[in-house]
Amino acid sequence: MNMDVTVASLPRLNEKYSMFSRISDDIGTADFKFLFSAKDNLTSKDMETRCGSRILEGYRPAFDATAIEKMRISGGKLIGKNNMDEFGFGTFSTNSAFGIPRNPFDPERSCGGSSGGSACAAAVIEDHVSLGVSTGGSICCPASFCGVYGLAPTYGRVSRYGLIDYGNSLDKIGLISSDPGRLSEFLPVISGKDRKDPTSCAQPDLNLTGKKIKTVAVPREALEGVSGDVLSAFESSLETLRGMDIDVKMMDMPFLRYAMPAYYILATSEASTNLARYVGMRYGRQDGDLTLKFDDYFTSFRSEYFGDEAKRRILLGTYTRMAGFRDRYYAKALKVRLHIISSYKKVFEDHDAVLTPTMPFVAPRFDDISEMTPVESYSADYLTVPPNLAGMPHLSVPCGYDAEGMPVGMQFVTDHWDEDPLLTFAKDWGCAFETRRAEVLL
Ligand code: GLN
């Protein structure tokens, strides 16, 4: 690839696709082995970190997130911070305060969310790898909509130090690239124990031996709500898998139906407490009206600078944790989560992976997204939420294109700490399936 051409064209690319909220100003001169970008909820020393939110305008962290630091140590140059849904709240990256990424296959459509800018950069820039973050599907969804590969590792595999929390028990940093080999190359770079994140410390080491997926279970429930285009691409991929000597079995997995409601209760419960720290006194904007009383200062500040979706989630999450409702919602959702984990584990006794389409439809048009109710857009996550709730690794690979050339993705889930077969599969699939690159016009 011609790196100079790519680097020089970044601002122009960004005008067209809005994948960056900030672009580094010293890329032309720097010495590096590879270029990478990072979702803007990962702190970086040299660039503002705003998490898609006006409330964080002006926030210049004093430290790098561990994942960014490790990429830099291995020779990476951070070229920009990717646009995203505010604090990760969304499925289409339309809840972003600093630009809505546009799909490289059709700029009138979404890149997916909430790591939409990361997937867009991976699809548009040659030989690129982006750091994304998934709480409920934010790596696989945009990877699928943009026709690239996305890997969300096991919860705890990658240190969350320097990640601005959405839901601490769910957040996972992972990788997005158009080149499946990049996932195997960079997962070892970003993984590992980190004293600064205790949840990363009890993990088994990553051991990549080239283990293959030999048997996959396809849940019938997963296919009920998907569009005809997605279904036909998925079914023809099942044939390709059989041709690769993978045994494909259809199964009932009724537990999957409960994941989406349980996720939105747990994720918003955690989010509502995490957002309590943004009151206009530290991190980012601090320019409220100081003549106001204490509470009025906080309220006016938060009313002005949080977007609508953030406010909706604060209300929802505060409600589900309130005395009187906590047992009915929060505590029950925790039980559902345990049930989902144990049900997945039973499937993994006889199968190497669970396979579904990644998203129920191809990237939607912005016009159609603006007509969706919040519940309709939450429901679009019903296939990506289950592995996230279970903390299990999952991979989205491109598997077909609809009549208008929009990419379709399929998603593999494996047991905790079992990323090896996902990475091996991604590379094998890269040889078996012919991926189309979006035509990038400037
Ligand atoms: N769409 C889901 C949500 O809005 C997942 C987002 C994410 O993984 N950050 O919560």
Side-chain angles (χ1 to χ4, degrees), residues 39 41 87-89 114-115 133-139 152 163-173 263 266-268 270 313 337 384-385 387-390 394:
K39 189 173 181 176
N41 55 357
F87 290 102
F89 305 150
S114 60
S115 312
V133 177
S134 180
T135 306
S138 282
I139 289 179
L163 164 63
I164 297 177
D165 303 305
Y166 165 176
N168 313 42
S169 78
L170 294 153
D171 298 338
K172 297 161 289 296
I173 300 169
Y263 165 80
L266 296 174
T268 56
E270 295 187 25
R313 295 192 186 211
R337 180 183 211 172
T384 55
V385 152
N388 279 280
L389 201 55
H394 48 290

PDB file of all heavy atoms in Angstrom, residues 39 41 87-89 114-115 133-139 152 163-173 263 266-268 270 313 337 384-385 387-390 394:
ATOM      1  N   LYS A  39     -11.338   3.796  19.026  1.00  0.00           N
ATOM      2  CA  LYS A  39     -12.638   4.369  19.398  1.00  0.00           C
ATOM      3  C   LYS A  39     -12.402   5.465  20.431  1.00  0.00           C
ATOM      4  O   LYS A  39     -11.516   5.325  21.295  1.00  0.00           O
ATOM      5  CB  LYS A  39     -13.506   3.240  19.963  1.00  0.00           C
ATOM      6  CG  LYS A  39     -14.951   3.598  20.209  1.00  0.00           C
ATOM      7  CD  LYS A  39     -15.732   2.342  20.598  1.00  0.00           C
ATOM      8  CE  LYS A  39     -17.195   2.632  20.840  1.00  0.00           C
ATOM      9  NZ  LYS A  39     -17.970   1.405  21.131  1.00  0.00           N
ATOM     10  N   ASN A  41     -13.611   6.272  23.092  1.00  0.00           N
ATOM     11  CA  ASN A  41     -13.804   6.058  24.533  1.00  0.00           C
ATOM     12  C   ASN A  41     -12.559   5.444  25.160  1.00  0.00           C
ATOM     13  O   ASN A  41     -12.576   5.011  26.307  1.00  0.00           O
ATOM     14  CB  ASN A  41     -15.054   5.216  24.835  1.00  0.00           C
ATOM     15  CG  ASN A  41     -15.046   3.888  24.092  1.00  0.00           C
ATOM     16  OD1 ASN A  41     -14.136   3.612  23.310  1.00  0.00           O
ATOM     17  ND2 ASN A  41     -16.065   3.078  24.325  1.00  0.00           N
ATOM     18  N   PHE A  87     -20.986   7.714  24.560  1.00  0.00           N
ATOM     19  CA  PHE A  87     -20.691   6.736  25.613  1.00  0.00           C
ATOM     20  C   PHE A  87     -20.977   5.290  25.196  1.00  0.00           C
ATOM     21  O   PHE A  87     -21.106   4.411  26.042  1.00  0.00           O
ATOM     22  CB  PHE A  87     -21.435   7.065  26.924  1.00  0.00           C
ATOM     23  CG  PHE A  87     -20.894   8.302  27.582  1.00  0.00           C
ATOM     24  CD1 PHE A  87     -21.568   9.507  27.479  1.00  0.00           C
ATOM     25  CD2 PHE A  87     -19.690   8.274  28.274  1.00  0.00           C
ATOM     26  CE1 PHE A  87     -21.049  10.666  28.044  1.00  0.00           C
ATOM     27  CE2 PHE A  87     -19.163   9.420  28.849  1.00  0.00           C
ATOM     28  CZ  PHE A  87     -19.846  10.621  28.735  1.00  0.00           C
ATOM     29  N   GLY A  88     -21.129   5.040  23.900  1.00  0.00           N
ATOM     30  CA  GLY A  88     -21.399   3.670  23.429  1.00  0.00           C
ATOM     31  C   GLY A  88     -22.879   3.343  23.367  1.00  0.00           C
ATOM     32  O   GLY A  88     -23.252   2.187  23.151  1.00  0.00           O
ATOM     33  N   PHE A  89     -23.748   4.351  23.532  1.00  0.00           N
ATOM     34  CA  PHE A  89     -25.185   4.099  23.593  1.00  0.00           C
ATOM     35  C   PHE A  89     -25.793   4.144  22.197  1.00  0.00           C
ATOM     36  O   PHE A  89     -26.233   5.208  21.733  1.00  0.00           O
ATOM     37  CB  PHE A  89     -25.893   5.150  24.453  1.00  0.00           C
ATOM     38  CG  PHE A  89     -25.351   5.282  25.845  1.00  0.00           C
ATOM     39  CD1 PHE A  89     -25.408   6.498  26.507  1.00  0.00           C
ATOM     40  CD2 PHE A  89     -24.801   4.194  26.515  1.00  0.00           C
ATOM     41  CE1 PHE A  89     -24.926   6.632  27.803  1.00  0.00           C
ATOM     42  CE2 PHE A  89     -24.316   4.318  27.807  1.00  0.00           C
ATOM     43  CZ  PHE A  89     -24.372   5.547  28.453  1.00  0.00           C
ATOM     44  N   SER A 114     -21.788   0.665  18.443  1.00  0.00           N
ATOM     45  CA  SER A 114     -21.404   2.048  18.591  1.00  0.00           C
ATOM     46  C   SER A 114     -19.991   2.334  18.079  1.00  0.00           C
ATOM     47  O   SER A 114     -19.598   3.499  17.981  1.00  0.00           O
ATOM     48  CB  SER A 114     -21.495   2.450  20.069  1.00  0.00           C
ATOM     49  OG  SER A 114     -20.635   1.637  20.846  1.00  0.00           O
ATOM     50  N   SER A 115     -19.217   1.289  17.694  1.00  0.00           N
ATOM     51  CA  SER A 115     -17.866   1.534  17.158  1.00  0.00           C
ATOM     52  C   SER A 115     -17.933   1.788  15.649  1.00  0.00           C
ATOM     53  O   SER A 115     -17.121   1.244  14.877  1.00  0.00           O
ATOM     54  CB  SER A 115     -16.933   0.347  17.433  1.00  0.00           C
ATOM     55  OG  SER A 115     -17.000  -0.093  18.762  1.00  0.00           O
ATOM     56  N   VAL A 133     -14.729  -1.171  20.901  1.00  0.00           N
ATOM     57  CA  VAL A 133     -15.158  -1.621  22.238  1.00  0.00           C
ATOM     58  C   VAL A 133     -16.570  -2.161  22.103  1.00  0.00           C
ATOM     59  O   VAL A 133     -17.413  -1.562  21.441  1.00  0.00           O
ATOM     60  CB  VAL A 133     -15.132  -0.457  23.251  1.00  0.00           C
ATOM     61  CG1 VAL A 133     -15.640  -0.932  24.612  1.00  0.00           C
ATOM     62  CG2 VAL A 133     -13.731   0.125  23.392  1.00  0.00           C
ATOM     63  N   SER A 134     -16.807  -3.316  22.734  1.00  0.00           N
ATOM     64  CA  SER A 134     -18.150  -3.900  22.706  1.00  0.00           C
ATOM     65  C   SER A 134     -18.694  -4.050  24.107  1.00  0.00           C
ATOM     66  O   SER A 134     -18.037  -4.627  24.973  1.00  0.00           O
ATOM     67  CB  SER A 134     -18.094  -5.270  22.026  1.00  0.00           C
ATOM     68  OG  SER A 134     -19.380  -5.837  21.984  1.00  0.00           O
ATOM     69  N   THR A 135     -19.887  -3.545  24.310  1.00  0.00           N
ATOM     70  CA  THR A 135     -20.601  -3.754  25.570  1.00  0.00           C
ATOM     71  C   THR A 135     -21.747  -4.726  25.298  1.00  0.00           C
ATOM     72  O   THR A 135     -21.961  -5.684  26.041  1.00  0.00           O
ATOM     73  CB  THR A 135     -21.132  -2.396  26.094  1.00  0.00           C
ATOM     74  OG1 THR A 135     -20.036  -1.495  26.157  1.00  0.00           O
ATOM     75  CG2 THR A 135     -21.784  -2.534  27.458  1.00  0.00           C
ATOM     76  N   GLY A 136     -22.442  -4.477  24.162  1.00  0.00           N
ATOM     77  CA  GLY A 136     -23.552  -5.358  23.790  1.00  0.00           C
ATOM     78  C   GLY A 136     -23.541  -5.691  22.312  1.00  0.00           C
ATOM     79  O   GLY A 136     -24.564  -6.079  21.760  1.00  0.00           O
ATOM     80  N   GLY A 137     -22.410  -5.508  21.647  1.00  0.00           N
ATOM     81  CA  GLY A 137     -22.356  -5.860  20.224  1.00  0.00           C
ATOM     82  C   GLY A 137     -21.673  -4.825  19.359  1.00  0.00           C
ATOM     83  O   GLY A 137     -21.674  -4.914  18.129  1.00  0.00           O
ATOM     84  N   SER A 138     -21.050  -3.853  20.002  1.00  0.00           N
ATOM     85  CA  SER A 138     -20.525  -2.716  19.252  1.00  0.00           C
ATOM     86  C   SER A 138     -19.280  -2.975  18.441  1.00  0.00           C
ATOM     87  O   SER A 138     -18.769  -2.058  17.800  1.00  0.00           O
ATOM     88  CB  SER A 138     -20.247  -1.562  20.197  1.00  0.00           C
ATOM     89  OG  SER A 138     -21.457  -0.957  20.496  1.00  0.00           O
ATOM     90  N   ILE A 139     -18.767  -4.191  18.432  1.00  0.00           N
ATOM     91  CA  ILE A 139     -17.690  -4.513  17.498  1.00  0.00           C
ATOM     92  C   ILE A 139     -18.283  -5.300  16.324  1.00  0.00           C
ATOM     93  O   ILE A 139     -18.088  -4.951  15.156  1.00  0.00           O
ATOM     94  CB  ILE A 139     -16.563  -5.302  18.197  1.00  0.00           C
ATOM     95  CG1 ILE A 139     -15.812  -4.364  19.154  1.00  0.00           C
ATOM     96  CG2 ILE A 139     -15.625  -5.946  17.181  1.00  0.00           C
ATOM     97  CD1 ILE A 139     -14.688  -4.989  19.929  1.00  0.00           C
ATOM     98  N   ALA A 152     -14.456  -9.488  19.293  1.00  0.00           N
ATOM     99  CA  ALA A 152     -14.594  -9.061  20.691  1.00  0.00           C
ATOM    100  C   ALA A 152     -14.106 -10.225  21.544  1.00  0.00           C
ATOM    101  O   ALA A 152     -14.702 -11.300  21.527  1.00  0.00           O
ATOM    102  CB  ALA A 152     -16.049  -8.734  21.003  1.00  0.00           C
ATOM    103  N   LEU A 163     -10.270   2.806  29.548  1.00  0.00           N
ATOM    104  CA  LEU A 163     -11.531   2.749  28.794  1.00  0.00           C
ATOM    105  C   LEU A 163     -12.589   3.495  29.602  1.00  0.00           C
ATOM    106  O   LEU A 163     -12.749   3.233  30.804  1.00  0.00           O
ATOM    107  CB  LEU A 163     -11.946   1.286  28.592  1.00  0.00           C
ATOM    108  CG  LEU A 163     -13.401   1.026  28.168  1.00  0.00           C
ATOM    109  CD1 LEU A 163     -13.695   1.646  26.811  1.00  0.00           C
ATOM    110  CD2 LEU A 163     -13.667  -0.475  28.097  1.00  0.00           C
ATOM    111  N   ILE A 164     -13.262   4.420  28.976  1.00  0.00           N
ATOM    112  CA  ILE A 164     -14.308   5.167  29.685  1.00  0.00           C
ATOM    113  C   ILE A 164     -15.530   4.263  29.799  1.00  0.00           C
ATOM    114  O   ILE A 164     -16.111   3.865  28.787  1.00  0.00           O
ATOM    115  CB  ILE A 164     -14.618   6.484  28.952  1.00  0.00           C
ATOM    116  CG1 ILE A 164     -13.346   7.347  28.960  1.00  0.00           C
ATOM    117  CG2 ILE A 164     -15.792   7.201  29.598  1.00  0.00           C
ATOM    118  CD1 ILE A 164     -13.454   8.642  28.208  1.00  0.00           C
ATOM    119  N   ASP A 165     -15.871   3.919  31.037  1.00  0.00           N
ATOM    120  CA  ASP A 165     -16.859   2.867  31.268  1.00  0.00           C
ATOM    121  C   ASP A 165     -18.246   3.202  30.738  1.00  0.00           C
ATOM    122  O   ASP A 165     -18.756   4.300  30.954  1.00  0.00           O
ATOM    123  CB  ASP A 165     -17.004   2.607  32.774  1.00  0.00           C
ATOM    124  CG  ASP A 165     -15.698   2.230  33.430  1.00  0.00           C
ATOM    125  OD1 ASP A 165     -15.068   1.279  32.959  1.00  0.00           O
ATOM    126  OD2 ASP A 165     -15.319   2.897  34.419  1.00  0.00           O
ATOM    127  N   TYR A 166     -18.850   2.208  30.115  1.00  0.00           N
ATOM    128  CA  TYR A 166     -20.286   2.209  29.834  1.00  0.00           C
ATOM    129  C   TYR A 166     -20.889   1.265  30.873  1.00  0.00           C
ATOM    130  O   TYR A 166     -21.528   1.690  31.823  1.00  0.00           O
ATOM    131  CB  TYR A 166     -20.507   1.775  28.389  1.00  0.00           C
ATOM    132  CG  TYR A 166     -21.907   1.370  27.973  1.00  0.00           C
ATOM    133  CD1 TYR A 166     -22.181   1.038  26.641  1.00  0.00           C
ATOM    134  CD2 TYR A 166     -22.973   1.304  28.867  1.00  0.00           C
ATOM    135  CE1 TYR A 166     -23.461   0.673  26.221  1.00  0.00           C
ATOM    136  CE2 TYR A 166     -24.250   0.936  28.451  1.00  0.00           C
ATOM    137  CZ  TYR A 166     -24.478   0.608  27.136  1.00  0.00           C
ATOM    138  OH  TYR A 166     -25.735   0.226  26.712  1.00  0.00           O
ATOM    139  N   GLY A 167     -20.646  -0.057  30.714  1.00  0.00           N
ATOM    140  CA  GLY A 167     -21.095  -1.041  31.700  1.00  0.00           C
ATOM    141  C   GLY A 167     -19.889  -1.872  32.092  1.00  0.00           C
ATOM    142  O   GLY A 167     -19.455  -2.723  31.314  1.00  0.00           O
ATOM    143  N   ASN A 168     -19.362  -1.632  33.287  1.00  0.00           N
ATOM    144  CA  ASN A 168     -18.062  -2.230  33.646  1.00  0.00           C
ATOM    145  C   ASN A 168     -18.040  -3.753  33.574  1.00  0.00           C
ATOM    146  O   ASN A 168     -17.010  -4.337  33.303  1.00  0.00           O
ATOM    147  CB  ASN A 168     -17.652  -1.828  35.066  1.00  0.00           C
ATOM    148  CG  ASN A 168     -17.827  -0.350  35.299  1.00  0.00           C
ATOM    149  OD1 ASN A 168     -18.841   0.235  34.878  1.00  0.00           O
ATOM    150  ND2 ASN A 168     -16.862   0.260  35.943  1.00  0.00           N
ATOM    151  N   SER A 169     -19.167  -4.412  33.827  1.00  0.00           N
ATOM    152  CA  SER A 169     -19.156  -5.875  33.827  1.00  0.00           C
ATOM    153  C   SER A 169     -19.325  -6.425  32.406  1.00  0.00           C
ATOM    154  O   SER A 169     -19.348  -7.641  32.222  1.00  0.00           O
ATOM    155  CB  SER A 169     -20.256  -6.415  34.742  1.00  0.00           C
ATOM    156  OG  SER A 169     -21.513  -6.331  34.111  1.00  0.00           O
ATOM    157  N   LEU A 170     -19.455  -5.522  31.428  1.00  0.00           N
ATOM    158  CA  LEU A 170     -19.723  -5.961  30.047  1.00  0.00           C
ATOM    159  C   LEU A 170     -18.676  -5.480  29.037  1.00  0.00           C
ATOM    160  O   LEU A 170     -18.501  -6.093  27.982  1.00  0.00           O
ATOM    161  CB  LEU A 170     -21.081  -5.409  29.586  1.00  0.00           C
ATOM    162  CG  LEU A 170     -22.328  -5.931  30.310  1.00  0.00           C
ATOM    163  CD1 LEU A 170     -23.447  -4.897  30.266  1.00  0.00           C
ATOM    164  CD2 LEU A 170     -22.810  -7.229  29.690  1.00  0.00           C
ATOM    165  N   ASP A 171     -18.006  -4.368  29.332  1.00  0.00           N
ATOM    166  CA  ASP A 171     -17.145  -3.721  28.330  1.00  0.00           C
ATOM    167  C   ASP A 171     -15.919  -4.577  27.955  1.00  0.00           C
ATOM    168  O   ASP A 171     -15.214  -5.078  28.836  1.00  0.00           O
ATOM    169  CB  ASP A 171     -16.622  -2.378  28.870  1.00  0.00           C
ATOM    170  CG  ASP A 171     -17.737  -1.382  29.169  1.00  0.00           C
ATOM    171  OD1 ASP A 171     -18.827  -1.517  28.604  1.00  0.00           O
ATOM    172  OD2 ASP A 171     -17.486  -0.461  29.988  1.00  0.00           O
ATOM    173  N   LYS A 172     -15.685  -4.682  26.646  1.00  0.00           N
ATOM    174  CA  LYS A 172     -14.536  -5.446  26.150  1.00  0.00           C
ATOM    175  C   LYS A 172     -13.890  -4.701  24.990  1.00  0.00           C
ATOM    176  O   LYS A 172     -14.588  -4.295  24.062  1.00  0.00           O
ATOM    177  CB  LYS A 172     -14.992  -6.822  25.616  1.00  0.00           C
ATOM    178  CG  LYS A 172     -15.602  -7.714  26.657  1.00  0.00           C
ATOM    179  CD  LYS A 172     -16.433  -8.826  26.042  1.00  0.00           C
ATOM    180  CE  LYS A 172     -17.717  -8.365  25.432  1.00  0.00           C
ATOM    181  NZ  LYS A 172     -18.710  -7.791  26.330  1.00  0.00           N
ATOM    182  N   ILE A 173     -12.572  -4.576  25.029  1.00  0.00           N
ATOM    183  CA  ILE A 173     -11.853  -3.935  23.919  1.00  0.00           C
ATOM    184  C   ILE A 173     -11.468  -5.009  22.910  1.00  0.00           C
ATOM    185  O   ILE A 173     -11.000  -6.088  23.299  1.00  0.00           O
ATOM    186  CB  ILE A 173     -10.584  -3.225  24.442  1.00  0.00           C
ATOM    187  CG1 ILE A 173     -10.975  -2.151  25.458  1.00  0.00           C
ATOM    188  CG2 ILE A 173      -9.774  -2.620  23.290  1.00  0.00           C
ATOM    189  CD1 ILE A 173      -9.810  -1.570  26.228  1.00  0.00           C
ATOM    190  N   TYR A 263     -30.032  -7.655  29.107  1.00  0.00           N
ATOM    191  CA  TYR A 263     -28.895  -6.767  28.796  1.00  0.00           C
ATOM    192  C   TYR A 263     -29.265  -5.306  29.010  1.00  0.00           C
ATOM    193  O   TYR A 263     -28.514  -4.549  29.627  1.00  0.00           O
ATOM    194  CB  TYR A 263     -28.434  -6.989  27.340  1.00  0.00           C
ATOM    195  CG  TYR A 263     -27.534  -5.885  26.851  1.00  0.00           C
ATOM    196  CD1 TYR A 263     -26.183  -5.870  27.209  1.00  0.00           C
ATOM    197  CD2 TYR A 263     -28.017  -4.832  26.078  1.00  0.00           C
ATOM    198  CE1 TYR A 263     -25.345  -4.832  26.794  1.00  0.00           C
ATOM    199  CE2 TYR A 263     -27.196  -3.790  25.662  1.00  0.00           C
ATOM    200  CZ  TYR A 263     -25.865  -3.806  26.027  1.00  0.00           C
ATOM    201  OH  TYR A 263     -25.044  -2.776  25.636  1.00  0.00           O
ATOM    202  N   LEU A 266     -29.275  -4.477  32.716  1.00  0.00           N
ATOM    203  CA  LEU A 266     -27.949  -4.443  33.360  1.00  0.00           C
ATOM    204  C   LEU A 266     -27.082  -3.316  32.806  1.00  0.00           C
ATOM    205  O   LEU A 266     -26.418  -2.584  33.561  1.00  0.00           O
ATOM    206  CB  LEU A 266     -27.231  -5.789  33.180  1.00  0.00           C
ATOM    207  CG  LEU A 266     -27.928  -6.968  33.870  1.00  0.00           C
ATOM    208  CD1 LEU A 266     -27.223  -8.274  33.522  1.00  0.00           C
ATOM    209  CD2 LEU A 266     -27.960  -6.782  35.375  1.00  0.00           C
ATOM    210  N   ALA A 267     -27.097  -3.165  31.482  1.00  0.00           N
ATOM    211  CA  ALA A 267     -26.229  -2.148  30.868  1.00  0.00           C
ATOM    212  C   ALA A 267     -26.644  -0.746  31.309  1.00  0.00           C
ATOM    213  O   ALA A 267     -25.793   0.086  31.642  1.00  0.00           O
ATOM    214  CB  ALA A 267     -26.269  -2.272  29.345  1.00  0.00           C
ATOM    215  N   THR A 268     -27.952  -0.478  31.339  1.00  0.00           N
ATOM    216  CA  THR A 268     -28.368   0.880  31.729  1.00  0.00           C
ATOM    217  C   THR A 268     -28.187   1.094  33.230  1.00  0.00           C
ATOM    218  O   THR A 268     -27.890   2.205  33.662  1.00  0.00           O
ATOM    219  CB  THR A 268     -29.829   1.183  31.314  1.00  0.00           C
ATOM    220  OG1 THR A 268     -30.688   0.190  31.866  1.00  0.00           O
ATOM    221  CG2 THR A 268     -29.995   1.227  29.816  1.00  0.00           C
ATOM    222  N   GLU A 270     -25.738  -0.048  35.022  1.00  0.00           N
ATOM    223  CA  GLU A 270     -24.324   0.301  35.204  1.00  0.00           C
ATOM    224  C   GLU A 270     -24.022   1.678  34.594  1.00  0.00           C
ATOM    225  O   GLU A 270     -23.309   2.486  35.184  1.00  0.00           O
ATOM    226  CB  GLU A 270     -23.423  -0.782  34.597  1.00  0.00           C
ATOM    227  CG  GLU A 270     -23.560  -2.110  35.329  1.00  0.00           C
ATOM    228  CD  GLU A 270     -22.557  -3.167  34.879  1.00  0.00           C
ATOM    229  OE1 GLU A 270     -21.483  -2.806  34.378  1.00  0.00           O
ATOM    230  OE2 GLU A 270     -22.848  -4.368  35.059  1.00  0.00           O
ATOM    231  N   ARG A 313     -31.061   6.663  29.071  1.00  0.00           N
ATOM    232  CA  ARG A 313     -30.441   5.532  29.776  1.00  0.00           C
ATOM    233  C   ARG A 313     -30.220   5.842  31.253  1.00  0.00           C
ATOM    234  O   ARG A 313     -30.266   4.953  32.093  1.00  0.00           O
ATOM    235  CB  ARG A 313     -29.152   5.128  29.071  1.00  0.00           C
ATOM    236  CG  ARG A 313     -29.532   4.600  27.692  1.00  0.00           C
ATOM    237  CD  ARG A 313     -28.424   3.914  27.007  1.00  0.00           C
ATOM    238  NE  ARG A 313     -28.859   3.574  25.660  1.00  0.00           N
ATOM    239  CZ  ARG A 313     -28.435   2.530  24.992  1.00  0.00           C
ATOM    240  NH1 ARG A 313     -27.572   1.711  25.531  1.00  0.00           N
ATOM    241  NH2 ARG A 313     -28.872   2.288  23.781  1.00  0.00           N
ATOM    242  N   ARG A 337     -28.761 -13.668  33.348  1.00  0.00           N
ATOM    243  CA  ARG A 337     -27.398 -13.705  32.810  1.00  0.00           C
ATOM    244  C   ARG A 337     -26.706 -15.025  33.175  1.00  0.00           C
ATOM    245  O   ARG A 337     -26.079 -15.666  32.322  1.00  0.00           O
ATOM    246  CB  ARG A 337     -26.634 -12.530  33.397  1.00  0.00           C
ATOM    247  CG  ARG A 337     -25.223 -12.436  32.931  1.00  0.00           C
ATOM    248  CD  ARG A 337     -24.556 -11.279  33.639  1.00  0.00           C
ATOM    249  NE  ARG A 337     -23.552 -10.703  32.808  1.00  0.00           N
ATOM    250  CZ  ARG A 337     -22.899  -9.585  33.069  1.00  0.00           C
ATOM    251  NH1 ARG A 337     -23.154  -8.912  34.161  1.00  0.00           N
ATOM    252  NH2 ARG A 337     -21.987  -9.136  32.272  1.00  0.00           N
ATOM    253  N   THR A 384     -26.374  -9.993  18.777  1.00  0.00           N
ATOM    254  CA  THR A 384     -25.039  -9.658  19.303  1.00  0.00           C
ATOM    255  C   THR A 384     -25.016  -9.563  20.831  1.00  0.00           C
ATOM    256  O   THR A 384     -23.947  -9.706  21.435  1.00  0.00           O
ATOM    257  CB  THR A 384     -24.539  -8.307  18.740  1.00  0.00           C
ATOM    258  OG1 THR A 384     -25.513  -7.308  19.023  1.00  0.00           O
ATOM    259  CG2 THR A 384     -24.271  -8.373  17.257  1.00  0.00           C
ATOM    260  N   VAL A 385     -26.167  -9.339  21.444  1.00  0.00           N
ATOM    261  CA  VAL A 385     -26.189  -9.179  22.899  1.00  0.00           C
ATOM    262  C   VAL A 385     -25.857 -10.476  23.674  1.00  0.00           C
ATOM    263  O   VAL A 385     -25.107 -10.420  24.648  1.00  0.00           O
ATOM    264  CB  VAL A 385     -27.559  -8.575  23.332  1.00  0.00           C
ATOM    265  CG1 VAL A 385     -27.945  -8.983  24.723  1.00  0.00           C
ATOM    266  CG2 VAL A 385     -27.518  -7.051  23.220  1.00  0.00           C
ATOM    267  N   PRO A 387     -23.761 -13.179  23.467  1.00  0.00           N
ATOM    268  CA  PRO A 387     -22.373 -13.465  23.866  1.00  0.00           C
ATOM    269  C   PRO A 387     -21.771 -12.367  24.735  1.00  0.00           C
ATOM    270  O   PRO A 387     -20.912 -12.631  25.578  1.00  0.00           O
ATOM    271  CB  PRO A 387     -21.621 -13.569  22.532  1.00  0.00           C
ATOM    272  CG  PRO A 387     -22.472 -12.872  21.523  1.00  0.00           C
ATOM    273  CD  PRO A 387     -23.883 -13.035  21.992  1.00  0.00           C
ATOM    274  N   ASN A 388     -22.218 -11.125  24.536  1.00  0.00           N
ATOM    275  CA  ASN A 388     -21.704 -10.027  25.347  1.00  0.00           C
ATOM    276  C   ASN A 388     -22.151 -10.160  26.792  1.00  0.00           C
ATOM    277  O   ASN A 388     -21.372  -9.936  27.721  1.00  0.00           O
ATOM    278  CB  ASN A 388     -22.161  -8.687  24.776  1.00  0.00           C
ATOM    279  CG  ASN A 388     -21.288  -8.252  23.616  1.00  0.00           C
ATOM    280  OD1 ASN A 388     -20.209  -7.724  23.831  1.00  0.00           O
ATOM    281  ND2 ASN A 388     -21.721  -8.520  22.398  1.00  0.00           N
ATOM    282  N   LEU A 389     -23.402 -10.535  26.969  1.00  0.00           N
ATOM    283  CA  LEU A 389     -23.923 -10.711  28.323  1.00  0.00           C
ATOM    284  C   LEU A 389     -23.179 -11.848  29.020  1.00  0.00           C
ATOM    285  O   LEU A 389     -22.928 -11.808  30.223  1.00  0.00           O
ATOM    286  CB  LEU A 389     -25.420 -11.050  28.208  1.00  0.00           C
ATOM    287  CG  LEU A 389     -26.305 -10.815  29.402  1.00  0.00           C
ATOM    288  CD1 LEU A 389     -26.214  -9.378  29.881  1.00  0.00           C
ATOM    289  CD2 LEU A 389     -27.758 -11.129  29.036  1.00  0.00           C
ATOM    290  N   ALA A 390     -22.804 -12.866  28.240  1.00  0.00           N
ATOM    291  CA  ALA A 390     -22.096 -14.018  28.809  1.00  0.00           C
ATOM    292  C   ALA A 390     -20.594 -13.771  28.919  1.00  0.00           C
ATOM    293  O   ALA A 390     -19.862 -14.593  29.471  1.00  0.00           O
ATOM    294  CB  ALA A 390     -22.355 -15.245  27.933  1.00  0.00           C
ATOM    295  N   HIS A 394     -16.436 -13.417  20.594  1.00  0.00           N
ATOM    296  CA  HIS A 394     -17.242 -13.577  19.385  1.00  0.00           C
ATOM    297  C   HIS A 394     -16.602 -12.813  18.235  1.00  0.00           C
ATOM    298  O   HIS A 394     -15.889 -11.835  18.446  1.00  0.00           O
ATOM    299  CB  HIS A 394     -18.697 -13.175  19.614  1.00  0.00           C
ATOM    300  CG  HIS A 394     -18.898 -11.866  20.307  1.00  0.00           C
ATOM    301  ND1 HIS A 394     -18.596 -11.664  21.640  1.00  0.00           N
ATOM    302  CD2 HIS A 394     -19.363 -10.682  19.860  1.00  0.00           C
ATOM    303  CE1 HIS A 394     -18.867 -10.422  21.976  1.00  0.00           C
ATOM    304  NE2 HIS A 394     -19.326  -9.792  20.910  1.00  0.00           N
TER     305      HIS A 394
END
